[in-house]
Structure formats: structure tokens, C-alpha cells
Amino acid sequence: MNRFADVILPLPLYRYFTYRVPEEMQGHLRQGHRVVVSFGRSKFYTAIVVALHDSEPQGYEVKEIATLLDDEPIVLRPQLKFWEWIAEYYLCSVGDVYKAALPSGLKLESETSLTINADFEEEADDRLTEREAVLMQALSAQGRLTVHELEKATGLRNTLPVLRRLVEREAIFVSERLRANYKPKTEVCVRLTFGQGDNDALRNAFDMVRRAKQQETLLLSFLDLSHFMQAGCYTEVSRAALLARAGVSPAVLAGLVNKGIMETYKREVSRFAPVQRACTPMPVLSGEQTRAYNEIFATLHDKSVTLLHGVTSSGKTEIYIHVIDAILKQGRQVLYLVPEIALTTQLTERLQKVFGDKLLIYHSRFSDNERVELWQKLLRSREPRVVLGVRSSVFLPFHNLGFVIVDEEHETSYKQYDPAPRYHARNAAIVLAQMYGAKVLLGSATPAVESYYNALSGKYGLVELHTRYANNPLPEVRIVDMREQRRKRLVKGNFSEPLLDQIRGALKREEQVILFQNRRGFAPMVECRECAWIPKCTQCDVSLTYHKRDNRLVCHYCGYSCEVPRICPACLQPTIEVRGFGTERIEEDVETLFPEVPLARMDMDTTRSRNAYQEIIDDFAAGKSKILIGTQMVTKGLDFDRVSIVGILSADSMLSFPDFRAHERAFQMMAQVAGRSGRGKSRGVVLLQTSQPELPLISQVINHDYVGMYNDQLSQREQFGYPPFTRLIYIYLKHRDEAVLDTLSQRYATMLRKVFGERVLGPDNPPVARIQSLYIRKIMLKVEVTASMAQVKELLRQIYERSLMDDSFKSLTLYYDVDPM
């Protein structure tokens, strides 16, 4: 009998903790069960059992598990193995992975509550103040309240100092109580108090309502909705549906309940809208698509991963659908990853028509209750299903995963930046698939350099599609030299004359236009014309972005905002003006130039609400909006038949970022957004506005020359020692005191160099060297691809533990970013 359990706590702790298993749980407790345990000073957490054993820990008193929450495990064995891999590879704690992986609704939380001490007596020389008396009276009346509930009940604010004094006097006690986050959605249903086939009871019921016509109507409506008279076809009936069908008030139903004819009850219902049945046949593949489909399975016979490199609009999605169908017919599950919620929005309807209720959707705009419901649906069912989701979908509980598709595999959206775990969903999905014995298909028109390198070197299989579906031509990319346009004074707002001509022509032909500007807001910065003063964030080392709709300056890192100053605080002159342009500015310019044309904007500011993506995409797909303005959100695999013109408004700005991937990313974004045009019958046209038309990147985009871009980048990376020829680990150090941070980061880099030598670069200031009042330094570690990553990470752990022997390092925040993007 296993007397002890090792558990994972949802805390950044680098080890498991052992608890004693109560007698009543022995024989019932299993790996993956949720349990409630006490940790620290009377705090309770939901922990996950990872191991059961009989080895009693030495050196401390082992606490007992407080509660077992489930009849069946909530986390599967392969998931726990996967969590451990994520923690080990990305150098974080397994508690960090647990927090990211499990929906919050499956974690009971401990909240602080207050109760009155019934034995407390006031002393004559220390009477309660008026505020103390009000708080005590409320607690006496209601028993147990949180601080928020107490303030709401009394109308008092800022009560913490008063409550602290009451605690010190032992007039009240502070305790922890557990609060469940997940609540199943229920609806009230109605049923008869007798069963099907009891005709005597039914006749008696009609006799009782003969003189009450509305009650009789309600009873007849129930029989109709429930199919009560058809044996084996009984259907549950909700109260709302019954009242709507009968057209009567709730009082009429109450009358039937009082007569003992009907009764109400609650049932758990899904938060998701009913899914339509599969209603369309499989799409017919062209000859080129059929070749690619067959090659995919041929290469996956020998390789675990295959890269599908297909130009934009080559029909990769149709191939994915046929692959999914083949795997579902094998009785296995499929994970279909996309980088953005916008793509799940556009794909959902398409996949539902083919796969019906076999399709499940999972993304970050779901409420926590919806995430729990989907988690439990997958956990309880072993049916073959396809899950369409964003990066967090890799943590779902799969029983029989057979295939993983990573669409637009090059996208940086697959990388989690903050908080830990800082994983890359594409790479994590490949490992997840290996654990299930599943295969992986990566797809992109512009693959990541590392992925294409792995394919050409034989690590991955490679299948290529060089032509668009139905042999439609790739869009024509035309360069607009903005220096020449400005010299001739042909620029209106941020638009060149050639771009405006193309937009007018497309609108006249009833076609649509996409305008791409990779910066949101109205203008990237505000500046004083006299003294060049620029408003900066008070907490971050970045200039503030001007948002005209709100007439505020906003920090896109921490959210700080302020009003735009009318007078420059430096020179006291009224010479503040905006510089540059973002999507909001483009939207205003388009409204001015084309006042009668309906348009839409898709960026972080316009897609905050849950259904915003769906509404913007649906309206544009239906032709309700003619011009779509957007950031990189519009580059990611969206499919619109009527788009003939794409305008790339500021190609140069994408190359100015200090990163070895800047060239690759700029090519990918421009090639992808260009690929949104000409997906119908006519050839698309892309207008690329640039002040540097001589750049090699520009000619590569014009010629759709991915291979040329790849070869250029590969030779540079080999020369300077960047991936795929090395592995990178960024080590970030943060502190509120910049001088202390500089000293400690230099000392830490010295400790690293003693072990890793010249592989260590830095410390340096990252592009943004202060966020939310914390100063940041970055150390880069370059490791040979042949090196043992397990050994590297063990050495990093030893160095970190050695640094903590110096108390000054304990005030430092340190974390790792493995395989940074």
C-alpha cells in the first residue's frame, strides 16, 4: 500500500513535495489525481499527484493530503511526462508548466477570510473605534467574509489598517478557505412526475387541467417537445423552451408543479453552441495536391516530421483536411495548430462542414469555464477527434494522439515569452508527438530557416508545392520608391500615387484591398519640434505611442497611459507634433481619401473583445468592408477570394530591429501578406513602398525567392555562429536598481565564462532595457549543436545555485529563454 505521494504545486518550485496519503485514500489515489494540500503558513493549493511510494522523507514532518478532488485522474500520464520535458528543456520549474497547462477552473484557490472571535471582550481602557465596531458588527452578522466582501457589506474603504489592529487584539481571526473556480453551466428542465407508458397517470393529469386552458396548452406542448408518447425517443425539455412553445407565463408552470403533475430539475449543459453535422464532402484534390498528399505519407514512413513547403494559395489546407480524415479513420486523434485566433476563426466553419462534431476548438479567448469543459470532454472521450487550437493546445489531455499539423510553422506567435514556461509550440509539439508515437506535418510558404535546414539535411522529410491551386499566378510585386515619390510631391498622407491608383481601380472593379502596416496606434511617437523632447514611459525605456481615438499616449509594454501635453515640458513651447504612422493613422487617412468606402482595422486595439476577430473577418469575407488595414495579424494564412491589391506601407521599418532574424522575418511578413492577394481568378498586385529599393531583400520579395533569402541567411548565420549552427540560450537578469544590476550581471557573466568560456556574450542592454520599473540585462550563451543540452542545463543550474550563496544575488530576478525568437 502506497503511504506517500509526490505532488506538483502551482508554484515556481524546482522539486516535488511529499505528502502522507490518508488511510481512506489508499488504494484510490492515482497518478494524475488532483488533491488539496497545505503548503506554507496555512495556505491551501490544488496539487497534482505525480508518484506514489512508501519512502518516508527524512528531516521534516510530512503533512497529510487534505482532500481528494476527483474520482478519476484529471491529468494523463503522457501529459506529466510532457510537463517534465518542458520544464527541463526550457529551464523552468514544473510548477510553472502546471500553471500554464491546467485551466484555472481546475485549480481550487485559497482565499483569505475573516471570522469574529466569539470570546473577545472590550476592555474599558481600549474601546473599539467607530470603524472597528462597524466591521465587528458585520462579521458577527454574516459569520465569515473576505476583505472585499466586508468592505462591500459595510461601505467602508481602506480597512486593512483597522483590520490589522483587530487581528492584533485577537478580536478577529484570519483563515484560509478554498474557493472553486469552475462552475458547470446548468439550465432548468421540466419533466412529468410519472414515466412514459403510464397512461392512467396521463389521463388523470388532463382531467386535472381540463378547466385551466393555459395549463392544458403547456402540458400538450411538453408532450410534443419531449416526444413523450414515442417509446425510446424521450427528449429532455428546458423550462425556457417549454414556456416559449406554449406562450405562457412561468406562473402557469408553477400551477402544474403545485398540482404534482410536473417537476423542475437542473441539468448540466455545454457552454458551446451546438455543432452542425458534417454536411459537405471531402474537397477534391488537384493532381499536384494529390502528389503532395502521397509524398507526405511516403516521407513519414521513414521520418517522424515532414515539412510541406507550399507557395501561398497552393491549397495546403485541402491537403491537411485529407490527412486529418485519414488519421480519424484510423481511430486516432489529430492536433491542428495555428498561430493566431484569427485563423481558428476562419478555419472553424470550413472544418466543421467536413468533420462536424469531431472538431473541437481551443484558444485563449475562451472563458476559463469553457476551457475546463473542453478539457473534460477530451479527458472522458477516446473518440477520434481533431482539435484546432493555438499554442496552449499542446497541453490538452490526448488519449490517442496520432498526428500533429503545425500550420504557418514559421510564425513567432508559437513562442511563449512571458511568463514561464517560455516554450515554442512547434518544437514542443514535435516532442509531444514522439511521446505518443505520432507523426508531425509542418506547413508554410516561408518556412523558418531552421526548419528548411532540417528538411534539406535529411532530419525532416520535405514535400514542395511550387504552384498555386488551379495554376493561378503568384501576385505581381511592384516597388514604389518613396524617395522619388516625395521628391515629386506625389505622396498623400502615407500613400504613394501608384498605390492610390491601384486602390481606386480595385474598388471600381468591386474588389478588395489589404493595407499592411506593422505598427498599431496613430503614430509611433510624439516629439517637440523645437527641442526634440520625446515622452517616455515612466516605467519602461520606450517612447509612448499616440492613440488618437483616445487622445492618449500609451506604453505598449506595460499599459501606462497619459494625456498628450499641449506644452512641451522641456522647452515650454506649444510645438508638440506626431511622427511616423501606425494602423490608426492609416485608417484615418483612408477615411479621408475614400470617405464612402467601408473599411475595417485589425490589430491588438480592435480585437480585444472575444468576438472581434470573427466579426472583422466575417464582414470582410462577405464584402461588407472593402479595405482591411492591419498589422501582422493580416499576414497569417487568411483566405479572401476578392482581394486583388495589397499595399505594404513601410517595408524598411521591418529591417531596423537589432536581431539576427530581422531579415528572415521581414521577408516572411511581406511574402505572406503579398500572398493574400490574387487568390481568386485574377492575378493580384502588391505595392511595396520603400525608401531603399536597392536592398537584396526587396528583390527577393519581388521574385518570390524564398530559396535566395534562405541561402543568404544561412551563409551569414554559419559565419557568425547563429542557429541552425548553434543553440542559443538568453539569460535575463532584472533588478530595480540599475547600478546593482550592472554589478551583479557582470559578476554572473564572469561565473558563466569560467565554465563556458567564449560561448558567453554580454551582459548587454536588450532593445528595451527597462519594463515596469525593472532594469534588464541580457547574457547570450551560444552552445554547439553537438553538445549535450542536459549537461549544459545541469551546469547552468549549478552556477545559479552557487550564485545564491551570495546574499546580494537573492534580490535579483533571473530567468532563461531557450531557443529565443
Side-chain angles (χ1 to χ4, degrees):
M1 197 68 70
N2 295 311
R3 297 181 296 120
F4 299 96
D6 294 338
V7 304
I8 305 171
L9 289 157
L11 299 168
L13 304 168
Y14 286 85
R15 51 173 290 224
Y16 299 140
F17 285 81
T18 303
Y19 286 80
R20 190 180 302 277
V21 179
E23 278 189 33
E24 63 272 16
M25 291 185 201
Q26 291 181 11
H28 302 287
L29 193 64
R30 284 185 282 158
Q31 187 183 50
H33 262 131
R34 290 184 306 161
V35 293
V36 176
V37 296
S38 169
F39 186 81
R41 189 173 295 175
S42 67
K43 282 276 187 181
F44 288 91
Y45 294 96
T46 304
I48 304 293
V49 175
V50 292
L52 295 163
H53 56 84
D54 275 324
S55 303
E56 183 170 2
Q58 302 300 313
Y60 64 92
E61 183 181 351
V62 182
K63 295 180 181 179
E64 195 170 79
I65 293 173
T67 310
L68 172 61
L69 293 175
D70 310 293
D71 294 330
E72 296 294 328
I74 205 79
V75 180
L76 303 176
R77 189 185 301 268
Q79 286 177 280
L80 293 173
K81 185 180 176 185
F82 182 57
W83 290 8
E84 289 172 347
W85 178 84
I86 290 272
E88 180 186 349
Y89 187 82
Y90 290 102
L91 294 171
C92 63
S93 73
V94 73
D96 286 324
V97 184
Y98 165 26
K99 285 172 68 177
L102 207 67
S104 296
L106 290 174
K107 298 191 281 276
L108 286 177
E109 290 185 353
S110 178
E111 67 178 17
T112 302
S113 57
L114 307 167
T115 53
I116 198 165
N117 179 3
D119 298 326
F120 172 74
E121 293 182 3
E122 285 187 77
E123 297 178 8
D125 58 346
D126 190 11
R127 309 292 295 180
L128 292 175
T129 66
E130 183 179 347
R131 283 167 64 87
E132 289 172 341
V134 170
L135 294 172
M136 290 285 285
Q137 187 176 356
L139 280 173
S140 179
Q142 300 197 42
R144 180 192 294 268
L145 295 171
T146 65
V147 175
H148 175 73
E149 290 167 342
L150 185 58
E151 289 185 344
K152 188 176 181 180
T154 60
L156 299 177
R157 294 292 178 266
N158 301 319
T159 60
L160 287 178
V162 183
L163 293 170
R164 190 176 298 114
R165 185 165 181 269
L166 289 173
V167 170
E168 290 169 355
R169 295 176 64 185
E170 296 188 355
I172 62 175
F173 296 129
V174 176
S175 61
E176 295 291 325
R177 69 176 178 183
L178 289 171
R179 174 170 58 88
N181 287 325
Y182 174 64
K183 292 182 180 178
K185 183 179 179 182
T186 60
E187 70 176 359
V188 177
C189 290
V190 180
R191 62 190 171 204
L192 297 176
T193 55
F194 48 87
Q196 278 183 292
D198 193 340
N199 295 327
D200 291 340
L202 185 59
R203 277 193 294 270
N204 185 48
F206 274 106
D207 288 341
M208 294 172 71
V209 300
R210 195 176 305 281
R211 295 181 181 179
K213 292 301 179 185
Q214 286 189 317
Q215 290 184 359
E216 186 179 52
T217 299
L218 189 70
L219 182 55
L220 287 168
S221 296
F222 175 83
L223 296 178
D224 181 35
L225 284 172
S226 66
H227 308 294
F228 188 84
M229 304 305 292
Q230 302 173 40
C233 295
Y234 182 77
T235 302
E236 289 185 286
V237 178
S238 71
R239 179 174 62 183
L242 179 59
L243 295 176
R245 170 64 70 87
V248 299
S249 69
V252 177
L253 175 59
L256 284 174
V257 171
N258 291 336
K259 289 178 178 179
I261 296 172
M262 285 186 171
E263 61 185 8
T264 61
Y265 65 98
K266 287 185 178 180
R267 69 166 177 174
E268 189 174 330
V269 294
S270 174
R271 287 178 164 83
F272 299 101
V275 177
Q276 63 184 0
R277 292 182 179 274
C279 58
T280 60
M282 295 287 293
V284 177
L285 297 183
S286 68
E288 185 73 358
Q289 288 172 319
T290 301
R291 174 194 61 76
Y293 173 81
N294 292 331
E295 283 185 16
I296 286 167
F297 281 100
T299 59
L300 287 173
H301 182 74
D302 299 316
K303 311 284 186 184
S304 59
V305 182
T306 284
L307 173 65
L308 174 60
H309 178 205
V311 297
T312 56
S313 194
S314 56
K316 293 186 289 293
T317 303
E318 285 77 10
I319 296 173
Y320 297 155
I321 289 171
H322 277 262
V323 169
I324 291 167
D325 184 61
I327 302 303
L328 294 180
K329 285 177 179 175
Q330 295 173 14
R332 304 194 72 182
Q333 297 168 318
V334 179
L335 173 59
Y336 186 161
L337 287 175
V338 290
E340 286 278 359
I341 300 168
L343 277 183
T344 67
T345 297
Q346 198 172 46
L347 279 170
T348 296
E349 184 177 353
R350 196 168 173 184
L351 294 177
Q352 278 181 344
K353 286 179 179 178
V354 178
F355 299 112
D357 59 3
K358 290 182 180 178
L359 176 70
L360 299 177
I361 317 295
Y362 192 79
H363 59 65
S364 58
R365 291 293 169 94
F366 279 172
S367 71
D368 205 60
N369 283 329
E370 286 171 326
R371 292 193 210 184
V372 172
E373 185 177 320
L374 191 138
W375 182 285
Q376 292 181 333
K377 185 179 289 187
L378 270 175
L379 194 66
R380 293 168 183 164
S381 171
R382 295 176 180 269
E383 294 177 30
R385 291 183 182 274
V386 53
V387 176
L388 174 66
V390 292
R391 63 173 180 252
S392 57
S393 304
V394 296
F395 294 117
L396 288 169
F398 296 99
H399 282 283
N400 189 18
L401 185 64
F403 208 92
V404 178
I405 296 168
V406 185
D407 196 15
E408 308 296 346
E409 65 86 31
H410 65 278
E411 275 293 344
T412 56
S413 303
Y414 283 124
K415 175 71 173 179
Q416 163 74 14
Y417 291 100
D418 279 311
R422 294 172 180 84
Y423 67 99
H424 195 296
R426 176 197 62 210
N427 302 341
I430 290 171
V431 173
L432 178 71
Q434 289 172 348
M435 291 179 175
Y436 281 92
K439 300 292 186 179
V440 180
L441 178 62
L442 310 178
S444 176
T446 55
V449 166
E450 292 92 330
S451 297
Y452 201 61
Y453 176 82
N454 285 334
L456 292 182
S457 63
K459 182 177 180 181
Y460 298 167
L462 177 62
V463 177
E464 300 198 269
L465 282 167
H466 297 291
T467 58
R468 283 185 152 190
Y469 184 74
N471 289 315
N472 289 339
L474 286 165
E476 178 189 357
V477 182
R478 301 177 186 172
I479 300 305
V480 180
D481 187 340
M482 293 302 286
R483 294 174 302 189
E484 186 73 11
Q485 289 286 305
R486 291 191 185 97
R487 188 179 65 79
K488 294 179 178 180
R489 298 186 178 180
L490 296 175
V491 178
K492 294 181 181 178
N494 296 290
F495 295 90
S496 63
E497 190 60 34
L499 177 55
L500 289 175
D501 285 344
Q502 289 294 328
I503 294 172
R504 293 186 194 106
L507 295 175
K508 191 174 181 179
R509 296 189 301 270
E510 293 294 313
E511 294 168 347
Q512 292 174 299
V513 177
I514 289 178
L515 299 174
F516 170 61
Q517 167 62 14
N518 200 32
R519 187 186 291 274
R520 63 189 172 104
F522 186 82
M525 69 178 188
V526 168
E527 185 178 49
C528 173
R529 190 172 62 249
E530 284 292 319
C531 70
W533 172 83
I534 297 172
K536 296 284 188 74
C537 177
T538 59
Q539 304 176 86
C540 309
D541 281 345
V542 292
S543 58
L544 298 173
T545 300
Y546 176 49
H547 288 248
K548 189 173 183 180
R549 289 285 169 91
D550 303 321
N551 194 33
R552 295 187 72 78
L553 297 169
V554 179
C555 174
H556 288 172
Y557 283 84
C558 71
Y560 166 80
S561 70
C562 64
E563 293 183 355
V564 181
R566 296 184 179 181
I567 304 295
C568 173
C571 67
L572 303 180
Q573 296 298 310
T575 49
I576 299 292
E577 61 181 24
V578 297
R579 293 286 182 89
F581 57 96
T583 48
E584 189 182 359
R585 174 81 169 263
I586 300 302
E587 182 181 30
E588 183 178 280
D589 288 349
V590 172
E591 287 173 339
T592 302
L593 292 165
F594 303 98
E596 304 299 322
V597 178
L599 56 89
R601 173 162 61 96
M602 189 159 76
D603 56 27
M604 282 289 290
D605 298 317
T606 62
T607 56
R608 295 188 189 280
S609 65
R610 172 172 174 166
N611 296 318
Y613 283 104
Q614 185 82 48
E615 292 165 3
I616 293 169
I617 289 170
D618 286 353
D619 285 352
F620 194 65
K624 293 180 182 178
S625 48
K626 299 296 184 183
I627 300 176
L628 176 63
I629 302 155
T631 57
Q632 59 181 317
M633 289 181 182
V634 302
T635 72
K636 299 178 182 180
L638 297 174
D639 191 0
F640 303 111
D641 288 340
R642 290 190 285 266
V643 173
S644 63
I645 302 298
V646 166
I648 300 174
L649 300 179
S650 185
D652 308 320
S653 64
M654 288 180 270
L655 288 169
S656 60
F657 198 76
D659 187 276
F660 73 94
R661 286 194 173 93
H663 191 112
E664 175 191 8
R665 283 183 188 150
F667 178 90
Q668 288 167 338
M669 278 195 278
M670 286 191 273
Q672 288 285 342
V673 74
R676 300 314 107 207
S677 69
R679 300 173 79 90
K681 295 179 180 179
S682 59
R683 188 182 189 189
V685 175
V686 180
L687 275 293
L688 197 159
Q689 297 187 164
T690 176
S691 298
Q692 303 176 77
E694 68 282 355
L695 290 174
L697 172 72
I698 303 302
S699 64
Q700 289 164 358
V701 174
I702 292 172
N703 297 314
H704 307 282
D705 186 11
Y706 170 81
V707 173
M709 183 278 297
Y710 167 80
N711 288 331
D712 280 354
Q713 290 303 294
L714 199 69
S715 63
Q716 289 184 32
R717 293 189 190 186
E718 186 172 24
Q719 181 181 355
F720 295 105
Y722 281 102
F725 302 102
T726 59
R727 293 181 184 273
L728 295 186
I729 299 175
Y730 288 171
I731 303 164
Y732 288 96
L733 304 97
K734 295 184 177 182
H735 202 283
R736 293 193 179 276
D737 188 313
E738 188 172 19
V740 171
L741 178 62
D742 282 333
T743 301
L744 294 181
S745 59
Q746 289 288 353
R747 287 168 59 188
Y748 202 81
T750 300
M751 295 170 70
L752 288 166
R753 285 192 179 94
K754 288 180 179 177
V755 176
F756 294 104
E758 294 182 357
R759 300 177 184 87
V760 179
L761 302 176
D764 298 310
N765 287 9
V768 179
R770 183 172 64 111
I771 297 177
Q772 295 182 343
S773 299
L774 286 171
Y775 292 93
I776 309 167
R777 297 294 179 267
K778 181 182 79 174
I779 299 172
M780 182 191 298
L781 177 61
K782 288 184 177 181
V783 181
E784 297 88 342
V785 291
T786 54
S788 164
M789 288 302 286
Q791 187 176 355
V792 168
K793 289 163 187 175
E794 175 61 24
L795 291 169
L796 287 172
R797 185 187 64 79
Q798 291 174 9
I799 293 167
Y800 177 67
E801 289 179 354
R802 197 157 59 246
S803 74
L804 292 180
M805 297 172 67
D806 183 340
D807 288 343
S808 58
F809 276 95
K810 293 179 180 176
S811 62
L812 190 75
T813 299
L814 184 147
Y815 64 87
Y816 306 93
D817 188 2
V818 180
D819 300 336
M821 296 296 291

PDB file of all heavy atoms in Angstrom, residues 575-589:
ATOM      1  N   THR A 575       4.829  73.210 -29.274  1.00  0.00           N
ATOM      2  CA  THR A 575       5.374  72.680 -30.538  1.00  0.00           C
ATOM      3  C   THR A 575       5.396  71.148 -30.547  1.00  0.00           C
ATOM      4  O   THR A 575       6.305  70.537 -31.106  1.00  0.00           O
ATOM      5  CB  THR A 575       6.796  73.235 -30.765  1.00  0.00           C
ATOM      6  OG1 THR A 575       7.572  73.063 -29.562  1.00  0.00           O
ATOM      7  CG2 THR A 575       6.757  74.695 -31.147  1.00  0.00           C
ATOM      8  N   ILE A 576       4.415  70.540 -29.900  1.00  0.00           N
ATOM      9  CA  ILE A 576       4.317  69.080 -29.884  1.00  0.00           C
ATOM     10  C   ILE A 576       3.685  68.600 -31.190  1.00  0.00           C
ATOM     11  O   ILE A 576       2.636  69.112 -31.605  1.00  0.00           O
ATOM     12  CB  ILE A 576       3.470  68.597 -28.686  1.00  0.00           C
ATOM     13  CG1 ILE A 576       4.099  69.021 -27.362  1.00  0.00           C
ATOM     14  CG2 ILE A 576       3.266  67.092 -28.742  1.00  0.00           C
ATOM     15  CD1 ILE A 576       5.396  68.334 -27.037  1.00  0.00           C
ATOM     16  N   GLU A 577       4.296  67.609 -31.849  1.00  0.00           N
ATOM     17  CA  GLU A 577       3.717  67.060 -33.073  1.00  0.00           C
ATOM     18  C   GLU A 577       3.977  65.558 -33.136  1.00  0.00           C
ATOM     19  O   GLU A 577       4.867  65.038 -32.464  1.00  0.00           O
ATOM     20  CB  GLU A 577       4.295  67.735 -34.308  1.00  0.00           C
ATOM     21  CG  GLU A 577       5.790  67.582 -34.464  1.00  0.00           C
ATOM     22  CD  GLU A 577       6.320  68.305 -35.701  1.00  0.00           C
ATOM     23  OE1 GLU A 577       5.662  69.256 -36.166  1.00  0.00           O
ATOM     24  OE2 GLU A 577       7.393  67.910 -36.181  1.00  0.00           O
ATOM     25  N   VAL A 578       3.173  64.865 -33.956  1.00  0.00           N
ATOM     26  CA  VAL A 578       3.303  63.406 -34.074  1.00  0.00           C
ATOM     27  C   VAL A 578       4.256  63.076 -35.220  1.00  0.00           C
ATOM     28  O   VAL A 578       4.364  63.821 -36.202  1.00  0.00           O
ATOM     29  CB  VAL A 578       1.938  62.723 -34.305  1.00  0.00           C
ATOM     30  CG1 VAL A 578       1.036  62.950 -33.123  1.00  0.00           C
ATOM     31  CG2 VAL A 578       1.290  63.193 -35.594  1.00  0.00           C
ATOM     32  N   ARG A 579       4.961  61.952 -35.077  1.00  0.00           N
ATOM     33  CA  ARG A 579       5.905  61.490 -36.093  1.00  0.00           C
ATOM     34  C   ARG A 579       5.605  60.023 -36.423  1.00  0.00           C
ATOM     35  O   ARG A 579       5.324  59.237 -35.526  1.00  0.00           O
ATOM     36  CB  ARG A 579       7.338  61.607 -35.576  1.00  0.00           C
ATOM     37  CG  ARG A 579       7.825  63.028 -35.373  1.00  0.00           C
ATOM     38  CD  ARG A 579       8.105  63.698 -36.723  1.00  0.00           C
ATOM     39  NE  ARG A 579       8.608  65.051 -36.557  1.00  0.00           N
ATOM     40  CZ  ARG A 579       9.895  65.350 -36.425  1.00  0.00           C
ATOM     41  NH1 ARG A 579      10.788  64.383 -36.402  1.00  0.00           N
ATOM     42  NH2 ARG A 579      10.277  66.608 -36.315  1.00  0.00           N
ATOM     43  N   GLY A 580       5.749  59.696 -37.704  1.00  0.00           N
ATOM     44  CA  GLY A 580       5.528  58.313 -38.113  1.00  0.00           C
ATOM     45  C   GLY A 580       4.049  57.999 -38.209  1.00  0.00           C
ATOM     46  O   GLY A 580       3.188  58.875 -38.086  1.00  0.00           O
ATOM     47  N   PHE A 581       3.727  56.721 -38.438  1.00  0.00           N
ATOM     48  CA  PHE A 581       2.313  56.352 -38.575  1.00  0.00           C
ATOM     49  C   PHE A 581       2.099  54.892 -38.200  1.00  0.00           C
ATOM     50  O   PHE A 581       2.956  54.042 -38.414  1.00  0.00           O
ATOM     51  CB  PHE A 581       1.816  56.612 -40.002  1.00  0.00           C
ATOM     52  CG  PHE A 581       2.596  55.907 -41.078  1.00  0.00           C
ATOM     53  CD1 PHE A 581       2.161  54.690 -41.584  1.00  0.00           C
ATOM     54  CD2 PHE A 581       3.766  56.464 -41.593  1.00  0.00           C
ATOM     55  CE1 PHE A 581       2.869  54.042 -42.580  1.00  0.00           C
ATOM     56  CE2 PHE A 581       4.481  55.813 -42.590  1.00  0.00           C
ATOM     57  CZ  PHE A 581       4.040  54.605 -43.092  1.00  0.00           C
ATOM     58  N   GLY A 582       0.931  54.642 -37.596  1.00  0.00           N
ATOM     59  CA  GLY A 582       0.507  53.292 -37.257  1.00  0.00           C
ATOM     60  C   GLY A 582      -0.812  52.990 -37.935  1.00  0.00           C
ATOM     61  O   GLY A 582      -1.324  53.786 -38.745  1.00  0.00           O
ATOM     62  N   THR A 583      -1.424  51.862 -37.608  1.00  0.00           N
ATOM     63  CA  THR A 583      -2.659  51.446 -38.284  1.00  0.00           C
ATOM     64  C   THR A 583      -3.807  52.425 -38.052  1.00  0.00           C
ATOM     65  O   THR A 583      -4.652  52.624 -38.924  1.00  0.00           O
ATOM     66  CB  THR A 583      -3.080  50.043 -37.801  1.00  0.00           C
ATOM     67  OG1 THR A 583      -3.043  50.006 -36.365  1.00  0.00           O
ATOM     68  CG2 THR A 583      -2.166  48.968 -38.347  1.00  0.00           C
ATOM     69  N   GLU A 584      -3.844  53.048 -36.869  1.00  0.00           N
ATOM     70  CA  GLU A 584      -4.923  54.003 -36.593  1.00  0.00           C
ATOM     71  C   GLU A 584      -4.800  55.234 -37.504  1.00  0.00           C
ATOM     72  O   GLU A 584      -5.794  55.764 -37.997  1.00  0.00           O
ATOM     73  CB  GLU A 584      -4.881  54.416 -35.121  1.00  0.00           C
ATOM     74  CG  GLU A 584      -6.076  55.238 -34.687  1.00  0.00           C
ATOM     75  CD  GLU A 584      -5.982  55.682 -33.225  1.00  0.00           C
ATOM     76  OE1 GLU A 584      -4.999  55.327 -32.552  1.00  0.00           O
ATOM     77  OE2 GLU A 584      -6.889  56.407 -32.799  1.00  0.00           O
ATOM     78  N   ARG A 585      -3.566  55.680 -37.737  1.00  0.00           N
ATOM     79  CA  ARG A 585      -3.326  56.815 -38.640  1.00  0.00           C
ATOM     80  C   ARG A 585      -3.704  56.431 -40.074  1.00  0.00           C
ATOM     81  O   ARG A 585      -4.317  57.225 -40.809  1.00  0.00           O
ATOM     82  CB  ARG A 585      -1.850  57.210 -38.563  1.00  0.00           C
ATOM     83  CG  ARG A 585      -1.405  58.292 -39.548  1.00  0.00           C
ATOM     84  CD  ARG A 585      -1.758  59.674 -39.048  1.00  0.00           C
ATOM     85  NE  ARG A 585      -1.111  60.721 -39.841  1.00  0.00           N
ATOM     86  CZ  ARG A 585       0.027  61.325 -39.502  1.00  0.00           C
ATOM     87  NH1 ARG A 585       0.667  60.979 -38.388  1.00  0.00           N
ATOM     88  NH2 ARG A 585       0.521  62.283 -40.244  1.00  0.00           N
ATOM     89  N   ILE A 586      -3.346  55.223 -40.491  1.00  0.00           N
ATOM     90  CA  ILE A 586      -3.702  54.751 -41.833  1.00  0.00           C
ATOM     91  C   ILE A 586      -5.219  54.739 -41.992  1.00  0.00           C
ATOM     92  O   ILE A 586      -5.759  55.144 -43.023  1.00  0.00           O
ATOM     93  CB  ILE A 586      -3.130  53.337 -42.095  1.00  0.00           C
ATOM     94  CG1 ILE A 586      -1.602  53.340 -41.973  1.00  0.00           C
ATOM     95  CG2 ILE A 586      -3.556  52.826 -43.462  1.00  0.00           C
ATOM     96  CD1 ILE A 586      -0.905  54.301 -42.899  1.00  0.00           C
ATOM     97  N   GLU A 587      -5.919  54.256 -40.956  1.00  0.00           N
ATOM     98  CA  GLU A 587      -7.378  54.213 -41.008  1.00  0.00           C
ATOM     99  C   GLU A 587      -7.950  55.614 -41.223  1.00  0.00           C
ATOM    100  O   GLU A 587      -8.863  55.807 -42.038  1.00  0.00           O
ATOM    101  CB  GLU A 587      -7.916  53.616 -39.703  1.00  0.00           C
ATOM    102  CG  GLU A 587      -9.433  53.488 -39.664  1.00  0.00           C
ATOM    103  CD  GLU A 587      -9.922  52.927 -38.341  1.00  0.00           C
ATOM    104  OE1 GLU A 587      -9.252  53.161 -37.308  1.00  0.00           O
ATOM    105  OE2 GLU A 587     -10.973  52.275 -38.329  1.00  0.00           O
ATOM    106  N   GLU A 588      -7.408  56.598 -40.519  1.00  0.00           N
ATOM    107  CA  GLU A 588      -7.902  57.974 -40.667  1.00  0.00           C
ATOM    108  C   GLU A 588      -7.620  58.507 -42.068  1.00  0.00           C
ATOM    109  O   GLU A 588      -8.475  59.165 -42.678  1.00  0.00           O
ATOM    110  CB  GLU A 588      -7.255  58.877 -39.615  1.00  0.00           C
ATOM    111  CG  GLU A 588      -7.768  60.316 -39.665  1.00  0.00           C
ATOM    112  CD  GLU A 588      -7.144  61.170 -38.584  1.00  0.00           C
ATOM    113  OE1 GLU A 588      -7.607  61.101 -37.429  1.00  0.00           O
ATOM    114  OE2 GLU A 588      -6.194  61.913 -38.911  1.00  0.00           O
ATOM    115  N   ASP A 589      -6.418  58.216 -42.582  1.00  0.00           N
ATOM    116  CA  ASP A 589      -6.075  58.673 -43.935  1.00  0.00           C
ATOM    117  C   ASP A 589      -7.008  58.058 -44.975  1.00  0.00           C
ATOM    118  O   ASP A 589      -7.452  58.742 -45.911  1.00  0.00           O
ATOM    119  CB  ASP A 589      -4.625  58.293 -44.269  1.00  0.00           C
ATOM    120  CG  ASP A 589      -3.609  59.133 -43.511  1.00  0.00           C
ATOM    121  OD1 ASP A 589      -4.015  60.136 -42.890  1.00  0.00           O
ATOM    122  OD2 ASP A 589      -2.418  58.776 -43.533  1.00  0.00           O
TER     123      ASP A 589
END
